[in-house]
Structure formats: structure tokens, C-alpha cells
Amino acid sequence: MASTGVRAGATAGPWPAPGPAVRLGGAPFAGFALAAVVALVLALRAPTGLAVLGLAVFGLLHNVLELRYVAGRFAAVLAGPLVRLLLVLVTGIVVCRLLPASWLSRSAEILLAYGLLAAACRYGLRGRPVLLAVAGAGLVGAASASLAFPAYHFVVLAHLHNVVPLLFLAEWSRRLARGRAAFLVLQCGWVLLVPALLLSGWLDGWLSQRPGGWTDRLAAVYTPPGWLTPQVGLRFLAVFAFLQSMHYVVWVWFLPRHAPEAAERFDARVPGLRGGRAWALGVAAGGLLAVLFAVDYAQGRSVYAALASYHAYLEFPVLLVLLLGLGEGRGLGEGRGRFRARPPDPEADRVRTGGKEVKV
């Protein structure tokens, strides 16, 4: 029987049960390693092309698949009043991104982003007023810094979004019957070690030295303003192109293949996107976006940035609620009956796995 990760009799909390226990074969390890090597070579030799083409081909598809996973896997968090509030706040961010760029629109987006985190703290720290007050003070301080230095805020946000899959992969890895340490070391290698090597300058000998045009523009977007020089800008652009590519590997290849139960739960909530329809939607929307990119890249980038707000911003409050925690045996709605996850169904796990560990 698959382990549920919840004590018998405990209220199910925002942490979902780990899922059917699996033994990960060698193919996923080799797949991640190969993808990292290919992405690193391309990020060193053609960072601008990798960033632009990757976004055009996989941008909207990975948006759809990530939203499907998060909404299915963390249904206990994205439910009730909380999800309605988050959707209102993110929609406000979408509007800000569709407006002409200005101090007002950027400041409004920053405030709405911290509103998302405040909502997560409010629900995640319910019943713990001291910790809630500390978290609130921290958010006020961080928001003040972001408003004072908005360019730094958006650079950090761009890179942080590509690092977030590490947390989702760590959460997924709870189901591994063996090899979890090796799996996490591999993930930390591409998420943390490779970018550190790029930023240190150790790989500058292989880094393309072709500044100008879109390379300079993108480097300025992904480099902290105070650090922007031609060489450092290329390093940050290479880091972004590499992490973005691996980000797509996680959402388009690994989690759809190795966490099918998340898609099943999403299908139950949104029958209109059942099965391959979510893939069809992502591919069709991506095709339209690619045409827009070809016609007017700047306009395509603006449209994508607005649409991507839903997947990019929803992941932060979800992870914050989980990390704030309550842990695996305590629920958000404890004492109030809200936001309770559906009790684990061992019988469903037995049907899905035949009562055995699943090797993938």
C-alpha cells in the first residue's frame, strides 16, 4: 500500500499525501543530466536564441501544464475563499502588465504581488498571531525595498521563478521508495551549482562574446542594474536561458509523466480540459504566440508576460502556505472545517498500483 504521509486520525492539511510509492529508474536521472548538458551548451553559445525560441515554443504550453499540476496536486490550498482572493489579485497584476509600462503600473504590480504573499501568510498562519505579525512586518519591509528599487525586484522575480521547480521536485520526491537523496542532489546541481559556475566566470571561455541588439536588451532585463556590464550581463543572460530551459523540462516532461495523479485531480475539477485537451490548448496557444513573436517580438513578449502572470504568481502563495506550514499532519481549516484536503484513499492507490510500488 502506498504511504499517505498523514498520521491515522489526523486532519488532512495542505500537504497532500506523497502519492503512490515509486522507484525511479535510471532513465529520468539520465534525462535530467542530458537536458542540463544540452541546455548549458546552448546557453553558453547562443543564450539569446535559447531564451527567445524556448519562450516562443514552450512558454504557454508550460503555463498550462504547470497550472494543471499545481491546481491538481495542491487542491487543498487552491480552494474556497483563498483561491478566489488569489485569482482577483493575479488578475489585477495581469491588468497592470497590459497597461503601458510606468512607475504607477509597476508599483501596483509590486503591491499586488505582496498582497498575494500576505494572503498566504494570513491563511497559513491562522491561529498564530505572533508569527503572523512577524511575517507581516517582514512583508512590509520587503515591499518597501521593492518599491524603492523596482528594477531589482523584477530581476529577482524573473530568476526566482526559474528556481521554484526545485521546491516542487523536492515535494514530489517524498514518494520515492529509494534514491531520494541522489534525486535531490541532481536537482540541486542544475538549479544551484550550474548558475553559480556561470556567474563566477569560470565558464567565460565558452561563453559567446557577441553583445549587441537583443542580447544587450535581454541582458539588461535579467541583470541587476548595479552589476550591469557587458560581461556580467552575458553571464546573467546565460543563467536565465539555462534555468528557463530546465524549467520547461520539469513542467513539460518530468512532472506530467511522473505525477499523473495531479492531472487526474485537475481533470475532475475542470472536465473541459480533461486528458489531452490541456496539451492541445497549450500547443494551440503557443502556436499563436509564436506567430505574434515572429511579427512583433516586443508585443508578443508583453502579451506573454500578462498571460503568464497566473502561473508565475500563483506558485508563490501555494508554496508559502505549505512552508509556513502547519506540517503534514495539521490542516489549514483545523477547527473551522475549511480548506481540508480530501482524506487519502488507500484503496484508490491499490487499484492504481496493484498494491505494489511503481517503478518508472
Side-chain angles (χ1 to χ4, degrees), residues 31-40 50 162 165 169 186-187 190-191 194 239-254:
F32 268 115
L34 179 60
V37 170
V38 173
L40 178 58
L50 181 61
N162 286 333
L169 289 169
L186 176 62
Q187 306 312 317
W190 69 260
V191 174
V194 172
V239 167
F240 178 82
F242 171 78
L243 287 179
Q244 177 184 261
S245 301
M246 295 302 296
H247 185 93
Y248 297 152
V249 169
V250 172
W251 293 115
V252 178
W253 168 62
F254 183 78

Side-chain angles (χ1 to χ4, degrees), residues 3-241:
S3 171
T4 65
V6 181
R7 296 190 309 272
T11 301
W15 286 88
V22 301
R23 292 191 179 189
L24 206 57
F29 286 88
F32 268 115
L34 179 60
V37 170
V38 173
L40 178 58
V41 171
L42 293 175
L44 287 168
R45 303 310 305 162
T48 304
L50 181 61
V52 172
L53 292 177
L55 183 64
V57 175
F58 296 108
L60 285 180
L61 175 61
H62 104 276
N63 278 206
V64 172
L65 297 179
E66 180 177 344
L67 283 171
R68 182 180 69 167
Y69 177 83
V70 173
R73 180 72 178 150
F74 305 103
V77 176
L78 292 176
L82 177 58
V83 73
R84 290 193 287 270
L85 175 58
L86 295 180
L87 287 175
V88 168
L89 292 172
V90 177
T91 300
I93 291 173
V94 171
V95 173
C96 290
R97 291 190 168 189
L98 289 174
L99 293 173
S102 66
W103 173 85
L104 182 60
S105 64
R106 290 164 69 88
S107 298
E109 179 176 342
I110 290 172
L111 290 175
L112 288 168
Y114 280 100
L116 288 167
L117 300 181
C121 289
R122 167 67 180 84
Y123 283 90
L125 294 175
R126 179 178 302 181
R128 290 183 279 178
V130 174
L131 288 178
L132 181 59
V134 171
L139 289 178
V140 169
S144 299
S146 292
L147 290 170
F149 304 98
Y152 286 88
H153 169 89
F154 288 105
V155 168
V156 171
L157 183 64
H159 289 288
L160 187 60
H161 174 62
N162 286 333
V163 172
V164 160
L166 177 62
L167 298 179
F168 285 108
L169 289 169
E171 191 279 328
W172 175 90
S173 71
R174 294 184 300 146
R175 70 184 62 190
L176 289 177
R178 61 173 58 183
R180 188 185 185 199
F183 180 81
L184 292 177
V185 167
L186 176 62
Q187 306 312 317
C188 289
W190 69 260
V191 174
L192 304 175
L193 179 60
V194 172
L197 289 174
L198 286 167
L199 293 177
S200 71
W202 284 10
L203 302 179
D204 280 0
W206 291 278
L207 185 61
S208 173
Q209 305 293 324
R210 300 176 188 172
W214 277 109
T215 296
D216 287 349
R217 297 179 196 178
L218 291 178
V221 170
Y222 301 123
T223 306
W227 298 1
L228 185 57
T229 65
Q231 191 63 34
V232 174
L234 282 173
R235 293 175 188 170
F236 273 97
L237 177 55
V239 167
F240 178 82

